[in-house]
Amino acid sequence: MTLLAHAYSAENINFLFQGLWVTIKVSLISIILSFIFGLIFGIIRYVQFPYLSKIVGFIIDIIRNLPLLLIFFFTYFGVPELGLRVNPVSASIMALVIFESMMLAEIVRSGILAVDPGQMEGARANGLTYWQAMQHIILPQALTKMIPPLVSQFISLIKDTSLATIIVLPDLLYHAQIIYSQNTTYMLPMYLMIAIMYFVVCYLLSLVARYLEKRLA
């Protein structure tokens, strides 16, 4: 109990919450941007624009098959070589958005494909243009079908932020490492605490998803 009391001191817990805030901030920004880009790329790949859809599809296939850790290294060490200055937070967001938007693009495309083709035919027969039908008829139905895989991917994104520790992102895991580097007996208590924190954040997201799924059903 003495070990846990010292490991979970108010100072250490507060320091962990500072790291948790960075994790949540990076995750939230990455989720929003990834969804926007993933939606755009998914629609482009579905619609089959001449040349453009094939190029986007080729890029998606490449990035989806690269290790996320490699993308972290590229954004942190490679992007500055192109003349752009980045810090660990911006490099982490950039890496997560690049990787996750490609994953989400495939989820979007699959969600649109899951909508009955008759929906588009019916919308066009009622005088809607292709893009009006896509906006008002197809995408709302597709988004409902996409909720479970989208949430699963968002949860993976939150957990993937821990990989950014390698580029010194001051996130939850990095703060825990700082604490137990000062006293190695704190290692297990720190890992237990960050496991609880990750679980709470991810579980709350899954509860929100279940609520939305029921509301939109």
Side-chain angles (χ1 to χ4, degrees):
M1 291 299 294
T2 303
L3 172 62
L4 292 178
H6 285 94
Y8 297 146
S9 66
E11 182 181 1
N12 286 345
I13 294 298
N14 181 59
F15 192 61
L16 286 178
F17 272 109
Q18 291 176 23
L20 179 62
W21 166 241
V22 173
T23 294
I24 292 174
K25 180 175 68 173
V26 169
S27 298
L28 186 59
I29 295 173
S30 299
I31 284 172
I32 294 172
L33 294 178
S34 297
F35 180 71
I36 293 172
F37 287 115
L39 187 63
I40 293 171
F41 293 145
I43 292 174
I44 289 174
R45 195 166 190 189
Y46 169 79
V47 174
Q48 294 297 315
F49 292 106
Y51 303 110
L52 179 60
S53 293
K54 290 185 177 180
I55 293 171
V56 169
F58 180 67
I59 294 172
I60 290 173
D61 289 339
I62 289 176
I63 295 178
R64 287 177 68 236
N65 289 285
L66 291 177
L68 177 55
L69 195 59
L70 180 63
I71 301 176
F72 275 119
F73 281 134
F74 173 77
T75 56
Y76 189 64
F77 297 108
V79 169
E81 295 297 321
L82 302 176
L84 298 175
R85 299 186 64 180
V86 294
N87 56 39
V89 172
S90 58
S92 299
I93 292 173
M94 193 182 305
L96 288 167
V97 170
I98 290 172
F99 184 77
E100 298 296 338
S101 60
M102 299 301 108
M103 305 296 287
L104 294 177
E106 284 301 289
I107 294 175
V108 169
R109 186 174 73 94
S110 299
I112 296 174
L113 287 170
V115 177
D116 186 348
Q119 296 290 318
M120 175 62 78
E121 295 172 3
R124 297 298 301 277
N126 281 288
L128 296 181
T129 66
Y130 181 87
W131 291 108
Q132 286 175 334
M134 182 66 74
Q135 178 182 354
H136 298 292
I137 307 297
I138 305 303
L139 283 180
Q141 295 182 61
L143 286 171
T144 302
K145 299 177 184 296
M146 284 187 265
I147 288 177
L150 282 176
V151 172
S152 178
Q153 195 62 42
F154 291 155
I155 290 174
S156 294
L157 186 154
I158 293 171
K159 293 183 289 186
D160 285 343
T161 58
S162 61
L163 293 174
T165 302
I166 199 70
I167 59 171
V168 204
L169 176 71
D171 68 335
L172 177 58
L173 182 59
Y174 185 74
H175 278 222
Q177 289 175 341
I178 291 176
I179 293 172
Y180 70 67
S181 67
Q182 299 171 7
N183 188 333
T184 55
T185 60
Y186 293 171
M187 181 180 293
L188 186 58
M190 285 302 105
Y191 279 131
L192 177 61
M193 181 56 67
I194 63 176
I196 292 171
M197 288 181 169
Y198 273 117
F199 170 78
V200 170
V201 172
C202 294
Y203 185 67
L204 288 176
L205 180 59
S206 67
L207 290 180
V208 172
R210 289 177 194 173
Y211 172 77
L212 290 175
E213 196 172 3
K214 290 179 180 178
R215 291 280 295 179
L216 297 174

